[in-house]
Amino acid sequence: MKYETVTILIAFGLVAAAPAPKAKNVFSIPRAMLRGREVPQEHSHNRFLDGVRANLALNNPAGIVDPVFGLLGDAAAAAGAGTITNLECLHQATADQAFTNAKAAGNITGQADALMYAALERNTGKVGLASVSCNETAVNPEIQAVQQHQDPASANAASINKAIVLALAQQLASIGADPQEALLSGTFAPGSVDDTTGAGNTCDVADDVEGCIFTQNLLVDDATADEITAAVAGISSGSAASASSAAPTAAAAPTTTDTASEDSCPAPVTVTVSAPASTPAATEAATPTGDNVQTFTGDLGGPPPPVTSSAGDRPFTVNGNTFVNIGAAIQRSCSIQNNACADASNAGTLAGVSVAQCQTQEDACNAAGGVQ
Ligand SMILES: *[C@@H]1O[C@H](CO)[C@@H](O)[C@H](O)[C@H]1NC(C)=O
Ligand SMILES: *[C@@H]1O[C@H](CO)[C@@H](O)[C@H](O)[C@H]1NC(C)=O
C-alpha cells in the first residue's frame, strides 16, 4: 500500500500524437482526499480512456469530468463525478454513457472502447483488496455484462479475471468488434500483499498515449486466444454494422506472457455480486398486475424474470423497471437471467455450466422473444 499524490491530466477531446500537449486542465488531488491504493494505475490503459473520453463528450448529461475518475477510489472519484452520487457506479455510468453515444453514432470502435474501459481494474485501498461491484443496472446490457478486473493479488483473481475477459470477449463479438481485444483489458502481475513499498508491478504514465501497460510490456494475459475463440463460438454480431467490421484498433493480441499458472483455472470463485445466484425471478415478486409475456423456458441459473404487460405509456415492466417497447423489456429480462447464470457459473454453484452457455441461453431467450 502506498500513498501517492496523483496528478490527473485532463485533455478535453482526443489526445493528439507526438509531444504531449500542455494539459488544458491539471487537477492536483489534495493528499487528504486520496486513499492508499494498490498502486497508481488509472492511466495504464490510456488508449481506452481516450476512446471513452471522445464518445462521452458527445452527450454527457451527468457532467462526468473525465473517464479517469471512474477508475479512482471513491474519495478521489467524487471530484469528477458530476451529478453521479453513487461513486461505486461512476465507472459503469461512464462506460454506459459512452457506449450509448457510440451506439447512436454507429461507432463500433467507440462501443468497443467503452466495453474495454468497463473491464479495467479500479483502484482499491490496498494490494489484494478487490473493488466493490456497482449495484445499479446499466442502460446497455452489453455494459451490464462486463465487470471490472480485480486486483491480481486478491483472492481467486486469476479465475475471476479470466471469466471477466471471456465475458468481455462475448460482448465485443456481439457488437461486431474483435473479441481477442478483450485481452488488452488485462492487468498487471500480482503485487505482494506484504510489499510495504506498494511498488507492485504497475505503471501510471499520464501522457503515454497508448498506455504504459502496453508500452512497458507489463500486461498479463488472463486467457489464451483459443479460450477466447471458444467462448465466442456461435456469437454473431447482432448489429447491422458488422459489415464495417472495422477490426478497429486491433493491435494483435499479445501472446508473449506465459500464464500457465492461470490456465489451470482453479476451482470456485467468490465473486462479490449483488444478484442472488439462483432464482433471480423470485427476487422482486411485487409484480404489478398484467400478463407475463416472457415465454422463454430456459432456466440455467434460474428462469428469466417476468415481463409484465399492462396499460400506460411504459407498459412493460421487468423487476420494477418500465419500458416503452416489448423488445427492450425482453432484452432486459434475458440480460438479467444471463447475469445470474454467469455469476452462478463463476461462483461454482452451477456445476458444468460455462459462462459461454449462459450467453448462448441469452441469445436463445432474445430470439424466443423476437428480439434480434
Ligand atoms: C469512434 O470512436 C473512436 C474512439 O473510440 C474515435 O477515435 C473515432 O473518431 C470515432 N469515430 C467517429 C467516426 O466518430
Ligand atoms: C447501492 O449502493 C449504494 C452505495 O453503497 C447505496 O447507497 C444504495 O442504496 C444501493 N442501492 C441498491 C438498490 O442496493
Side-chain angles (χ1 to χ4, degrees):
M1 160 149 93
K2 181 180 180 184
Y3 287 84
E4 287 274 329
T5 300
V6 181
T7 300
I8 295 173
L9 301 179
I10 306 216
F12 291 101
L14 278 175
V15 175
K22 262 223 165 84
K24 300 217 176 68
N25 284 286
V26 177
F27 293 111
S28 255
I29 296 187
R31 213 179 157 77
M33 291 181 60
L34 290 174
R35 289 177 166 184
R37 298 167 309 143
E38 176 199 353
V39 274
Q41 47 108 58
E42 62 275 0
H43 286 286
S44 55
H45 298 69
N46 264 342
R47 55 182 284 192
F48 303 122
L49 273 72
D50 286 347
V52 167
R53 189 176 293 118
N55 284 285
L56 177 64
L58 298 175
N59 181 25
N60 182 8
I64 296 165
V65 176
D66 190 84
V68 79
F69 287 94
L71 301 180
L72 300 173
D74 288 355
T83 57
I84 308 274
T85 51
N86 184 353
L87 297 172
E88 285 162 5
C89 290
L90 175 61
H91 186 188
Q92 175 175 294
T94 304
D96 210 18
Q97 186 67 55
F99 189 95
T100 296
N101 296 349
K103 189 171 179 180
N107 187 341
I108 304 271
T109 306
Q111 293 171 67
D113 282 348
L115 288 168
M116 298 293 295
Y117 166 85
L120 298 183
E121 184 186 351
R122 193 175 164 230
N123 291 344
T124 57
K126 60 181 179 187
V127 170
L129 181 64
S131 60
V132 176
S133 298
C134 168
N135 61 0
E136 294 174 7
T137 307
V139 172
N140 299 287
E142 294 88 347
I143 295 291
Q144 180 67 28
V146 174
Q147 301 287 311
Q148 61 219 3
H149 269 75
Q150 290 298 354
D151 184 319
S154 63
N156 296 312
S159 52
I160 291 173
N161 287 340
K162 181 178 197 165
I164 287 168
V165 155
L166 296 181
L168 170 62
Q170 292 170 340
Q171 296 310 317
L172 289 170
S174 78
I175 62 164
D178 179 1
Q180 296 292 342
E181 292 255 303
L183 289 171
L184 301 181
S185 70
T187 185
F188 304 91
S192 164
V193 186
D194 305 321
D195 176 3
T196 53
T197 72
N201 299 301
T202 73
C203 68
D204 192 47
V205 182
D207 61 1
D208 186 324
V209 173
E210 186 72 5
C212 57
I213 195 169
F214 307 118
T215 54
Q216 296 180 24
N217 208 14
L218 297 173
L219 181 73
V220 173
D221 287 347
D222 295 303
T224 64
D226 285 349
E227 285 167 335
I228 289 188
T229 301
V232 303
I235 297 178
S236 57
S237 162
S239 82
S242 59
S244 74
S245 63
T249 45
T255 51
T256 45
T257 322
D258 179 13
T259 55
S261 61
E262 298 183 15
D263 291 341
S264 52
C265 195
V269 171
T270 320
V271 192
T272 314
V273 292
S274 44
S278 44
T279 52
T283 48
E284 328 220 5
T287 313
T289 54
D291 298 330
N292 180 16
V293 295
Q294 173 58 278
T295 57
F296 185 62
T297 54
D299 69 348
L300 288 180
V307 178
T308 53
S309 166
S310 52
D313 287 348
R314 300 176 67 86
F316 302 100
T317 305
V318 179
N319 277 7
N321 295 308
T322 59
F323 299 87
V324 176
N325 302 313
I326 186 171
I330 293 279
Q331 216 167 15
R332 175 65 63 87
S333 169
C334 298
S335 166
I336 290 170
Q337 179 186 38
N338 182 27
N339 286 335
C341 178
D343 287 342
S345 171
N346 287 333
T349 56
L350 271 187
V353 175
S354 68
V355 172
Q357 284 169 278
C358 298
Q359 177 72 45
T360 303
Q361 171 174 259
E362 181 180 21
D363 293 345
C365 178
N366 280 324
V371 181
Q372 169 43 340

